[in-house]
Amino acid sequence: MEKNASFVNNTSDMQKVLDSGDSSINVRNGDSAFSRFYHMNVPFQLTLEYCSGSQAEDYVNVVTLSFDRGMMYQESLAMKNYSYTKHAPHFHDFLEFVIVLEGAIVQTIEGRDYLYPAGSCCLINRNLRHMEHYQSQCCVLFIGLSPEFVTELFSSAQSALFADEKKICDSALYHFIATDLEIPGERAYLDFIPACQNHQSAARLHSMAEHMMQTLLYPAFGATHQICGLLCAFLSDLSSQEHYHCTNVRLDTNSDFLLFSRITRLFEESDGRMTRAEMEQRLHYSGDYLNRIVNKFTDMCFFDYGMTFCLKKAAQCLAETAESISAITARLKFTNRTHFYSLFKEKYGVTPKEYRKLHSAQR
């Protein structure tokens, strides 16, 4: 955290700004064994939680900010985890983004555990019971948006000055939120994992988080417009297919299938040329476990499943471009042309040259 979350470490300055006023969130059914309900009294709220490690004596810093109040407190990880096990999962009357800035967390959604590494996030709608578990050093930002506030943000896109601003209305993010606003009650959430080329996903999210929190801590003339603009930039970044893979996960989707979907998305984007080690780093699961997940849904090993995407890309290049076969094999990282020919013929029944001729005749 020394490099990334300077705004977490600078606690003395924060304590000068923050007061100990009442929370913006009211908890109902606090003693329920089934679930607790959170009601938010403000249009939006940011909560930053930083866990210093995995031992019971490690601490969790919590900073909560909205436009009219702020709170900061610290508790031990043992106490934090105790509260997780003592209390039931919660749901709320606002939309909540859970953004992992550093480390990894386990998000329990309707009784199922999902791992979220740094740079990833999810959007929980108003009808899902969930809770977060901290098992190691991590930093997580929660952004709560009331239905009224997010409606205002999106309505501004309809009358925007720039045509590109209106593209948000074509995104899966927009349609998910619009559906929840119109017909609340569906038990679903959005899962966001960074695209292959989005190597700085955690750094980008951290920068946005820091700007939002600094604006709320030290508001000046124009702060209202600034925070709305920063939130819009955040929503725009998440909705960009260049930056994130977005999956609409419904309650009947199990955790294994969600992980398999993430693997498939990354293979599609990398043309199958992502190693187990690279996938481990992206998804924070062991290579053996990733291999078992792939085998469960495809009866193939990790490498063979990735190769199907590689050969599919080769076939597409042969059919749709004039690129030489040597250039295609080099771009797809085949060092042995004979091996490529063998794999291609095994899958498509013809050699790459014959495949090109066949598709050239069909065009």
Side-chain angles (χ1 to χ4, degrees):
M1 284 305 294
E2 287 78 7
K3 294 181 180 179
N4 292 334
S6 57
F7 55 97
V8 176
N9 290 325
N10 196 4
T11 55
S12 60
D13 284 349
M14 277 194 174
Q15 288 169 341
K16 294 175 185 176
V17 177
L18 301 179
D19 59 43
S20 57
D22 295 335
S23 172
S24 304
I25 301 289
N26 291 339
V27 182
R28 301 173 186 170
N29 301 329
D31 297 325
S32 170
F34 176 71
S35 64
R36 290 171 293 161
F37 177 73
Y38 289 176
H39 168 68
M40 188 166 68
N41 303 313
V42 292
F44 63 87
Q45 176 173 287
L46 273 63
T47 299
L48 184 79
E49 298 192 1
Y50 167 57
C51 177
S52 68
S54 59
Q55 303 302 312
E57 63 271 18
D58 288 319
Y59 61 88
V60 178
N61 274 334
V62 181
V63 178
T64 298
L65 296 171
S66 63
F67 73 94
D68 66 342
R69 68 192 74 191
M71 293 180 62
M72 180 176 180
Y73 63 92
Q74 185 182 85
E75 62 183 339
S76 70
L77 180 61
M79 183 60 68
K80 190 78 169 176
N81 285 336
Y82 173 72
S83 68
Y84 287 145
T85 55
K86 178 184 177 183
H87 297 294
H90 63 270
F91 65 107
H92 33 67
D93 61 358
F94 53 91
L95 293 154
E96 183 177 64
F97 287 93
V98 182
I99 306 146
V100 184
L101 302 176
E102 182 185 334
I105 68 166
V106 174
Q107 177 89 272
T108 300
I109 302 174
E110 294 290 347
R112 296 171 181 161
D113 289 343
Y114 303 90
L115 180 66
Y116 282 85
S120 63
C121 60
C122 65
L123 169 58
I124 305 291
N125 73 1
R126 293 179 288 167
N127 202 46
L128 278 187
R129 295 183 306 123
H130 67 104
M131 60 199 307
E132 299 76 36
H133 300 268
Y134 300 157
Q135 300 175 334
S136 60
Q137 180 175 317
C138 62
C139 184
V140 187
L141 177 69
F142 302 87
I143 300 179
L145 301 176
S146 72
E148 296 78 15
F149 182 73
V150 78
T151 297
E152 283 187 33
L153 287 182
F154 282 140
S155 64
S156 65
Q158 306 292 344
S159 57
L161 296 176
F162 301 96
D164 284 351
E165 292 184 73
K166 301 178 182 179
K167 291 180 180 178
I168 189 73
C169 299
D170 297 324
S171 68
L173 172 63
Y174 174 85
H175 290 295
F176 178 85
I177 294 176
T179 298
D180 186 73
L181 294 175
E182 183 178 356
I183 313 172
E186 182 180 35
R187 293 199 284 178
Y189 65 98
L190 286 187
D191 179 74
F192 298 92
I193 61 168
C196 287
Q197 66 269 25
N198 189 7
H199 302 295
Q200 300 298 318
S201 58
R204 288 168 62 88
L205 289 171
H206 178 273
S207 177
M208 292 182 188
E210 186 161 15
H211 287 156
M212 283 188 274
M213 297 194 74
Q214 290 289 346
T215 301
L216 289 173
L217 282 167
Y218 308 103
F221 179 65
T224 299
H225 294 290
Q226 290 173 24
I227 196 67
C228 288
L230 289 167
L231 287 168
C232 287
F234 166 70
L235 296 175
S236 179
D237 198 60
L238 281 186
S239 66
S240 168
Q241 294 182 4
E242 294 182 2
H243 293 158
Y244 287 93
H245 295 306
C246 175
T247 304
N248 190 333
V249 184
R250 307 195 179 269
L251 188 61
D252 57 356
T253 303
N254 65 43
S255 55
D256 284 353
F257 184 75
L258 176 59
L259 179 56
F260 175 68
S261 298
R262 291 177 174 179
I263 294 169
T264 300
R265 288 286 189 92
L266 291 172
F267 268 145
E268 286 175 342
E269 190 180 2
S270 63
D271 297 327
R273 285 310 199 182
M274 181 170 282
T275 66
R276 286 208 325 187
E278 291 170 332
M279 196 77 79
E280 282 180 342
Q281 190 175 15
R282 284 276 177 175
L283 300 178
H284 279 222
Y285 288 92
S286 73
D288 288 341
Y289 186 67
L290 295 173
N291 190 64
R292 290 200 298 273
I293 292 295
V294 168
N295 183 260
K296 175 180 177 178
F297 289 97
T298 67
D299 289 327
M300 289 187 280
C301 69
F302 184 90
F303 177 82
D304 289 344
Y305 185 55
M307 190 54 60
T308 63
F309 294 91
C310 189
L311 294 174
K312 178 182 176 182
K313 183 63 176 181
Q316 180 186 354
C317 291
L318 290 166
E320 299 177 3
T321 74
E323 192 174 6
S324 70
I325 295 176
S326 295
I328 292 171
T329 57
R331 181 151 64 86
L332 294 175
K333 301 179 182 178
F334 284 98
T335 56
N336 188 317
R337 181 169 171 145
T338 302
H339 181 57
F340 168 68
Y341 266 70
S342 175
L343 290 173
F344 193 92
K345 187 169 183 179
E346 182 181 351
K347 180 170 179 62
Y348 291 101
V350 293
T351 67
K353 188 174 182 180
E354 291 168 340
Y355 186 90
R356 171 166 276 173
K357 283 184 178 180
L358 178 63
H359 284 268
S360 294
Q362 292 176 352
R363 287 203 297 267

